Amino acid sequence: MGGGSKAIVLTAVLAGALVGCRAEVARSTAAILPTEIPTRTITPTVFHSPTPTPTATPSPTLDIASVMATALAFRAAEEYGREIALWERYLAQDPDYVDGYYQRATARNWGVPGTGAVDRYITVNLAALADLNHAIETGLAADGRYFWRRYNVLVDLVSVEPSRANRDALMRLALENLRAANSIG
């Protein structure tokens, strides 16, 4: 090889034109980059893992995940009285948890028997209505579930109201809540 050809080959190698003749250069990849040692631990508030299987055993610590799992287990077992007691205990600890009022109202509404004392039926549904009003007024009015549940409670109260004028007024309120639930989603 003459001096001129050596210069062309050398220039081609340096420019990367002769890739097959060039030695591999180690590139930085994630596998060989140094990792930093964490200086603090971050605890996520939302876990993206499957929902745990609910058990009907209340947790000694009242964290919302265990309360919700226990409440759902009580609801599945149709033990609405125990679910209401669980939510009352949790809301006594954290009265600012707005969704707890909705959950307790749902348990009250579903747990009211279709037969039995009318006074108890009305009292429990009025307590559910008070929980829903509190939840809506407190700030999560953008949740259509709250208005849907309030619609259901009002319809239940319509079913036992003896006065036609009061039934009509309650039904108008119920329909307003149904419209709100549908418009919010």
Side-chain angles (χ1 to χ4, degrees), residues 38-159:
T39 57
R40 63 187 177 131
T41 305
I42 298 173
T43 305
T45 57
V46 177
F47 295 101
H48 297 287
S49 60
T51 305
T53 305
T55 66
T57 308
S59 171
T61 60
L62 289 176
D63 66 286
I64 191 57
S66 66
V67 169
M68 188 60 79
T70 304
L72 291 175
F74 285 148
R75 193 173 295 169
E78 296 182 6
E79 295 181 23
Y80 301 111
R82 291 180 73 188
E83 182 184 359
I84 292 167
L86 177 67
W87 282 115
E88 286 175 355
R89 186 172 152 218
Y90 185 80
L91 290 171
Q93 174 187 324
D94 184 7
D96 296 329
Y97 184 62
V98 177
D99 199 51
Y101 294 97
Y102 165 77
Q103 297 296 334
R104 183 171 66 180
T106 300
R108 285 178 169 160
N109 184 239
W110 286 8
V112 177
T115 59
V118 174
D119 292 342
R120 181 180 180 280
Y121 186 83
I122 293 170
T123 302
V124 173
N125 272 311
L126 287 176
L129 190 60
D131 278 347
L132 292 166
N133 290 340
H134 177 76
I136 291 170
E137 291 167 4
T138 302
L140 283 181
D143 193 337
R145 297 175 306 152
Y146 295 11
F147 291 97
W148 172 252
R149 180 61 47 209
R150 192 158 66 173
Y151 161 78
N152 287 311
V153 170
L154 288 168
V155 167
D156 287 348
L157 289 172
V158 165
S159 71

Side-chain angles (χ1 to χ4, degrees), residues 18-52:
L18 295 175
V19 176
C21 299
R22 194 168 87 177
E24 281 292 317
V25 177
R27 294 185 182 147
S28 296
T29 63
I32 61 172
L33 290 176
T35 57
E36 293 182 26
I37 299 173
T39 57
R40 63 187 177 131
T41 305
I42 298 173
T43 305
T45 57
V46 177
F47 295 101
H48 297 287
S49 60
T51 305

